[in-house]
Each structure stands twice: as structure tokens, then as C-alpha cells.
Amino acid sequence: MTLQGMVLQAAALYSDQIAVCFDGCNKQEPVYYTYKSMVNFASELSSFLQSKCKFEEIRQIGLYCYPGINLPSWILGILQVPAAYAPVDPDIPPELSTYFMKKCNLKYILVEKNHIDATPTLVRRFGSQLIKSSILSATTSLRVLALGGEAFPPLSVLRSWKQEGNTTQIFNLYGVTEVSSWATCYRIPEEDLSCTLGVESPVHLGFPLLGTIVEVRDANGLTVQEGEGQVFLGGKKRVCFLDDEITVPFGTMRATGDFVTVKGEAMFFLGRRDSQIKRHGKRINIECIQQVAEGICQVESCAVIWYHQERLILFVVTKDDLVKDGILGELQKHLPGYAVPDDIVVIEALPFTSHGKIDMSKLTKIYFNYINLKSNGTLKGKEELWERLQYLWKSSLRLLEDPLEVSKDSLFLSNGGDSLKSIWLSNEIETLVGRSIPGLLEVILSCSILDIYNHILQAVFPDEDTLLNRNYCTKRKFSEMNRGEISAKYIDQKSGRPVNSGKEQNAFIALSRGNQILFVNVSESLKNSLSMGQTGTQLGKNPSISSDLISSEETIFVQNVTSKSPLTVSRKMNGTEEISSMSAISEDETSVRASEKIKFCVRWKSNTGKCVDASPLIAVLLLSQSSATVYIGSHSHRIQAIDLYSGKVKWEQILGDRIESSACLSPCGNFIIVGCYNGLIYVLRNNDGKIHWIFATKDTVKSSATMDPSTGLIYVGSHDHHAYALDIYKEICVWKSHCEGTVFSSPCISLAPHHLYIATLKGLLLALNPATGSRVWTHSCGKPLFSSPQCNLQYVSIGCVDGNLYCFNHMGQLVWQVSTNGPVFSSPCISDSVRQEIFCGSHDRCIYCYNTEGHFQWKFQATASIYATPFTFYNHNLSSDMLLAAASTDGNLWILDAKRGQLQTVYKLPGEVFSSPVVWQSMLVVGCRDDYVYCLDLLTVAEK
């Protein structure tokens, strides 16, 4: 009897009993289907497929969906056609999906509708290709059937297809005439299906035979109850004999080489030990890479190894004299970045074992000898170094087809490079020269290719003449500055005239990325009142908060703010009944999700001249409700002070180079401190932007300064491998501490215990004594730390390029670590609620939530990588629960329910976003790479 026959037989006997239960593990109640409901849905789908699908010899349909309550009905509906179903994982890259569909010769594929809008799934991936295509004929081979409620693509997209003369067939189920039907069928040109990589889907392994014991063990030999591991087989009276063995003790457990995922009592097959690897946070089947390489016409045979679990190496036997450049170029066209091999080795023939299998151990030896030869003898001088560097540069940026020589002034980040690619390039260069090169990653990120070349040259050929001085990068930056700006006043770090640091001080709330809230000159009574009032932003207790006394007028402020809704207050502050800019907001500037209860609309935007990667600092003057200022810098060398409510630029100051550092408010509230690419740290007057003092480090400053409320010192890191403690009133450097690596991220101050946490691109997390700069403890994470550390009373947490989120206690002991599926550049955000959740973004396009004990709470799938730091806030006009603001690099701004991770609204900015959002009342401020700083109002639908 067939599977579908068995299901129908069970349905006839138990029609009203529960057949399917689905628990989304999102703290919502599980949902159920009876046999009757499941079979009815399946039959309706079968009828639809039979009427619309014209099969030839092979009857099979792809199924592109996530697990859910409808999945059994969909599978059953396909089987009843009858047809076979081919599962396609929505989380894999589009290249994998297209190769799988072509390999299976699929003519039809069912795509789940509910996930089309939330994730970049198959149809959306094909959408841009489809719109650009000039031919959409009836001879094409793939039809997409969309399962679910609303039709897609949007009607605007359908209109654009028709304007290009294309034909789009829309099929309705149940005789419904509206466009919002069960299924919509699109034809996609076969030429848009590029052959790239195969795909694998987990397969349920069922249960062991009687008397057989199955265990899953991790790399340390410990039993795995939940998660991934290798399968071991054995039994009390069953044994497995290998090779020439004659006797084996009962109870012996044998490693099978099969890797699985354990979920509850079920096991799902992932692949063989020698074919499954995890690289850059992504699981890869190296056999699939081999299949792609074999598809290159000049490749006769090939093999892939995971060398020392660090490097992905492709061995190729060619049919002619095909050069490695051509092979790598072809692979880059068809493989996702994380699957492209690190190196290609051309050999005469593949080695085989006596059993006829490829000898992986011999390939490992071949590569070992290859890299030794390459490092010891093949790099003959600086001319060849320049040529090889150009090749690696083009490889990392996918520019191999460009025949021109790379310009000596080319900058890695400006040519499409990013942090992940810079790590790849750094590793390749060190492999090329056969040694570690200190500071290489930092030079790649901040200097030109000529600077990189000189840096390598000094390390590898110290006796060779360089084209420029060793410190060319730093010296060039300083030489371009206005010499009148550089004086002994700040270079010699001499004491200067103290400013008024104690009298006539104003009270501020300073808000910066990651939910960091600092009270400046605010009394404890006012802070407690604000905390209880939750005035638009969650102002909970934080170990880094301190205050001085202010006047009794604070009571009036608390009554005014906490008694009014954020939107009402903002209208009063503008002096009008309505926000005038809102009437000019077009419908295109608001989110188009009709089901949402919250909407974004642009309140104002400010042009900075170049892209804005810095995150905003919002300083709210407490005793003057009309005064709140946004401070933010740009790659245009400008830093702006913008009125939060009106968007009017109060002042603008042009500094000596690009600004990526976020501003910091001084202890007195009269100054802001910001770092610059030219290695200078500027102290500016907050009322007019004029320079008060400048301190010079020896290299680029991307680190954002941090203020110590207990001492008033300003801490900041530099690419010169040092952290600095500055007294801006005495205009001196109190101490500087060598950190053994570039300090890219921002320091974090803890008051109990009094520690300063510093992270470096060398992978070190350091705890320093804030008074002296001496080390308290150090932990090496092994991979670069672009993320900034964040702390609460118990723990300090940080994300790492290795894909992990680490949590330490204040004594330096690792309390827990959790793994995401990609490098973590986002800094953690620790909420100030009682439970104190930790939120963090990842390169895998997800936002994660853990409690402070490291227990997973939820994750949300965005549409692109998350580099920015999330921000938690309260606004009772919008929701009674805590909300979370986050940004993905594709420009999408997300508002989630922070407790459950459910989407509340999303808004698309017109450029990439690496800036972190900051929220005050109902206003979200963020920088964008379209050169603008945006302030968006968060409104309820009724308010719109």
C-alpha cells in the first residue's frame, strides 16, 4: 500500500481525531489538524495540481516551504496527483535551489506564500531577473505555484511585466475570481536558472533495529541529547566487525561517519563526516562544491579537502592548460561566497586508495608540500609579491575578470570589500608568505593596496627598499591635515586651562546605540521617576549610570513628560497642533503592510554629503522640553548637530577625515567627543560645534568614546593598538594601554566592579583598571572582535567573527557561549527589564534573543545581514510590551515585539544601513549610506 493510501485509510477510521500537531517553539499554543481537515486540504490541492500541471514522463513537483501545520497536507496533496515531491530548503542560497531544480528536471515548484514577504525566498530572488527578462514565452520550463493567501508578486510588479510585453498566467483555485487566491502560476525563463550547487535536506532516520543501540556523540565523545553529532552503533549482543577483525567485545560502539541533528527523540541525517563542514557559520557539503567544479568544461576531475579544518582546497586535473584564474572565476559565478575554495591546486592525477576511493590523506600531504614550496621558494621578490597581492585582491572582491591593474590608491572597503572579505584576504596573504603578519587586518581595512603591499614587504623582505615609508599610511593622513590645526597643545599632551566643569551644568539624558542610556548631572530622585514613567524609552537601572544634583525644577519636568503621550509632547514641542512635515509624507514613504498596527513615516532627513555609518547620539536637555539634539558624523568629514523634533541643523563642523565613530557626551554635558579617520579625537562644544581640544593618536579612530561617570574620564580606542584615557578638562592623556591589536569597537565601562572592557581585532577581550590602564584579565576568542562589549551587573557579553556570542562574568570566566550561523559584527543589546534579555544580530540575517543565562528565547529572520546593534524601548502608545528596533544592511528597519520576536512593522530606506538605530519617545534616528540621517516617527495606524 502507498503512503497516501495508508493515510487515507487512517482518515476513514479516525476522521475526527488529531492527525497533525505543530509547535512553532515561539511560546504560542500549538495548532492541530484532524485527519478530516488534513485530507480535505490535500484533496483540494491535488485537484488544483491535476488541472494545471501538464506532466510528461516524470511526474514530480518541488516543495519550497518551512515546516508548518500545512506541510503534511501539501505533501499528501502532491502524492495524490500522483507525483513525487522534491523538498527545497528556503534557507539555502538561490544558486543551490536553482541547481537542484535543474538537476531534478523540475517543471513545477510549490512555494509557500506566508514567507515570501518576510524572507528573500525563491520567487523574490527570481523577481529581479524576471523583470529584466525580455522573453517570457510558453516554451519555458519552470512554473511557480504560490501556496497561501495573497497573490504575489505585488500588482505593481505584475504591471511592469505586462508593460514589457510579457505574459503572466494567474490561476485561481475554488473558482475565486479575486487576485488573492490559493495559488498563482508564473512562468520563468529557463535561461534564468543558472547551474551552481546542489542542495541537501535533512532526512529523518527513523528508529534502530531491535537490539541495536544508537548514540550520537560530539567531538569530545560526549553523548548529544539535542544538537549535532556523529552516529555510533553497537549493542549489548550486537557488534560490528571491521577489516580483518575476528573478535570484538560486546557493547563496542562504532563510529559510523554519519552526522545527524538530534531533535527530541528523532534524528535527521546531515551527511558523511568527510563531506560535511561548517565554514563562516554555514554548513557546506563539499561534494556539492566538487560537482560544480566538475561542471566546468576544462576540468577533467577534481576533489575537495577541508585542510586542518581551516582552509577549503580544490584539487583539479585539467583537460588542457586552464589557469587557476579561470577556474576560480567560474566558481565565483556559481557558488555563494562562503563556499568558494581558499586555494586551487592543479595536479596531474588524483591519488586513490586500494579500495578505489580518493586518498584524502595523500591530498593533504600534497597541499602541505605545496604551501611549503610556495612560502619557501616561489615568492622571489617584491615584484612577484605585488602581482600575487593584486590577484588576491581581485579574488576577494570578485574582480578577476577585470584585466586592468589595480590602482595603487584603491581602498578595500570602497571597492566592495567588507569585514568578512578582509578576513579572507588577510588569511590568504599570510598563507602566501608563509608567516603571520601583525597588524595586517587593520591595514587592509583602513589603507590602500599600496599601503598593504608596503606593510607585507616590511614583514617578509625587511632588507628590500619599499616604495614608501613603513608608516606611510599614518604619515600620509597627517600630512593632508591643516598644519595650523596641529599644535603642541594636543600633540605634546600638555595641561591646558580647565573649563567650567562643575557650575551652571545642565541635566541631560544621553542615548546611544545598544540601549545605552546615560544620565548626566541627574539626581537619583529624577532617575527613579523617569524609570517608573518610562517616557518613550526604557530608562531602567544600569550599572553605568551616575549623577550629580540638579535643581528642584526636575519635579515639574517629570510631571510634564510622564503624564503625556510621546506624540502629544512632540506636537507641543513643535509649537503647533500637528506635525507639519507629516502632511507632506507620501504614501510611498510609509510601510505598505496593511495588517500592521504600527507604521513608520519620515519626520525629517538631513543630507550629510556622504554615507553615514556612524550611529546617532541623542542628548535630551531635561529641564527644557523643547531641546533634544542628534549628533552624528559622516564619511564627508562632517559632523552635524540636528534638532531632534524639527530636523533643523543647529551647526555643522568639518573635521580632518571620515567619521565612523559615534559621538559621546562629556561629564558636564557641554562637549561632545568624536574620533576621526585621521587619528585625531576631537572635543567639540555642543552649542556651536567649535573645537575645544584635539588629541592625536597614531592611527585611525573608528572606536566610539565612552565616558566614565565616576571619574569623568573619556576612554577611546585606536587602530594604533592602544586604548586611551583622556581628561578633557585638563587636556591631558591620563594613561594609554597597549592592547596587542587594533581597537575597532567601543570601550565598555562597568562601575561594579570598576572595569573597562576593550576588544581588539586580534580577538582579545581585555578588562582594564580604569584608573591606571593596567590589565585585570584577558581572554582570547581566537577570531577578530568587531563587536563592542556590553555589560550588566552580572556579565559582560560580546559577539565574534567565529559566529559565537560569548558571555563572561566580571572575573573573566566564560559563563556560556552560543553559536549563530554567521559572523557576529553586531554588538549585543542588553535590555533593562527584570529578565534582562540579550539581543544580537548576525551575518546569517537573523536577530537572536537569549536570556542572561544563555537560554535561547527566539530568533527573527531578516532580509540581509545584521551589522547594526539592536535597541530596546517602551512606547505605550504603540504597545504595552517592550519593543526592539533593528536594522539590516539592505536598508530595512524592523520593529519587533521584544518578548516574542514577532514583527510589528518594517520600513525600507533607500540605501544600505550599518548605523545602529536609537529611539527616543516615538522617534527613531539612524544613518544611511544614501548620505542622509533619518528621523522616522513610529505611529499607530489610527494616528496615521
Side-chain angles (χ1 to χ4, degrees), residues 537-559:
T537 302
Q538 181 191 10
L539 304 178
K541 295 182 179 179
N542 186 296
S544 65
I545 292 173
S546 181
S547 68
D548 295 318
L549 293 175
I550 64 171
S551 69
S552 59
E553 294 174 273
E554 64 193 35
T555 307
I556 301 174
F557 172 82
V558 174
Q559 293 173 349

Side-chain angles (χ1 to χ4, degrees), residues 597-641:
K597 297 181 180 179
I598 302 174
K599 296 288 182 183
F600 273 115
C601 83
V602 177
R603 185 184 185 90
W604 54 258
K605 62 179 182 178
S606 179
N607 190 355
T608 70
K610 281 193 177 179
C611 58
V612 186
D613 284 345
S615 300
L617 165 71
I618 299 179
V620 181
L621 184 61
L622 291 187
L623 299 185
S624 176
Q625 294 186 30
S626 61
S627 182
T629 307
V630 176
Y631 301 96
I632 192 165
S634 163
H635 283 215
S636 66
H637 305 189
R638 305 177 191 175
I639 182 169
Q640 293 182 339

Side-chain angles (χ1 to χ4, degrees), residues 444-459:
I444 291 172
L445 287 169
S446 59
C447 300
S448 70
I449 187 173
L450 185 59
D451 301 328
I452 300 169
Y453 167 75
N454 282 322
H455 187 83
I456 302 167
L457 200 62
Q458 283 293 323

Side-chain angles (χ1 to χ4, degrees), residues 156-325:
S156 59
V157 176
L158 293 178
R159 283 194 294 268
S160 70
W161 290 352
K162 292 185 181 297
Q163 288 172 0
E164 295 180 8
N166 297 326
T167 58
T168 303
Q169 296 183 355
I170 301 179
F171 299 121
N172 295 329
L173 188 61
Y174 313 127
V176 179
T177 57
E178 291 86 357
V179 176
S180 56
S181 61
W182 173 282
T184 307
C185 180
Y186 305 104
R187 294 178 177 179
I188 295 179
E190 187 169 359
E191 57 265 28
D192 285 342
L193 297 178
S194 58
C195 176
T196 54
L197 193 64
V199 62
E200 53 185 323
S201 298
V203 178
H204 192 293
L205 294 182
F207 300 96
L209 296 173
L210 185 65
T212 301
I213 297 175
V214 178
E215 289 184 2
V216 179
R217 299 178 181 177
D218 61 19
N220 298 319
L222 301 177
T223 302
V224 175
Q225 302 295 337
E226 194 84 8
E228 297 180 6
Q230 185 181 181
V231 174
F232 283 71
L233 291 179
K236 294 181 179 180
K237 295 184 179 181
R238 296 177 68 95
V239 293
C240 175
F241 293 93
L242 299 178
D243 299 324
D244 299 327
E245 291 178 341
I246 299 176
T247 60
V248 176
F250 287 119
T252 300
M253 301 296 290
R254 296 290 198 184
T256 64
D258 294 325
F259 275 73
V260 298
T261 292
V262 180
K263 294 183 179 180
E265 297 181 356
M267 290 188 301
F268 297 87
F269 179 66
L270 296 175
R272 293 287 298 165
R273 173 177 55 191
D274 50 3
S275 63
Q276 288 286 320
I277 66 170
K278 195 170 185 181
R279 182 174 185 241
H280 299 322
K282 298 290 186 179
R283 180 168 293 282
I284 304 172
N285 188 331
I286 60 178
E287 292 177 355
C288 297
I289 301 172
Q290 182 175 323
Q291 291 173 10
V292 174
E294 289 173 344
I296 300 173
C297 59
Q298 293 91 344
V299 174
E300 183 175 293
S301 59
C302 61
V304 182
I305 67 169
W306 183 225
Y307 183 75
H308 291 171
Q309 297 186 336
E310 292 180 349
R311 296 175 60 77
L312 195 60
I313 311 302
L314 173 65
F315 294 87
V316 174
V317 178
T318 63
K319 297 178 181 177
D320 49 34
D321 295 330
L322 179 68
V323 294
K324 288 167 50 175
D325 293 20

Side-chain angles (χ1 to χ4, degrees), residues 321-354:
D321 295 330
L322 179 68
V323 294
K324 288 167 50 175
D325 293 20
I327 300 175
L328 185 59
E330 287 298 312
L331 292 175
Q332 288 179 342
K333 291 179 182 178
H334 302 305
L335 290 174
Y338 59 82
V340 175
D342 294 301
D343 205 350
I344 298 174
V345 181
V346 179
I347 56 179
E348 293 184 1
L350 293 175
F352 291 92
T353 66
S354 58

Side-chain angles (χ1 to χ4, degrees), residues 5 44 131 150 296 317 320 330 356 498-499 512-513 566 650 686 826 829 841 881:
E44 291 168 350
I131 293 171
E150 301 175 12
I296 300 173
V317 178
D320 49 34
E330 287 298 312
V499 299
S512 54
R513 63 178 182 174
K650 295 181 176 180
N686 73 350
S826 168
C829 168
D881 296 323

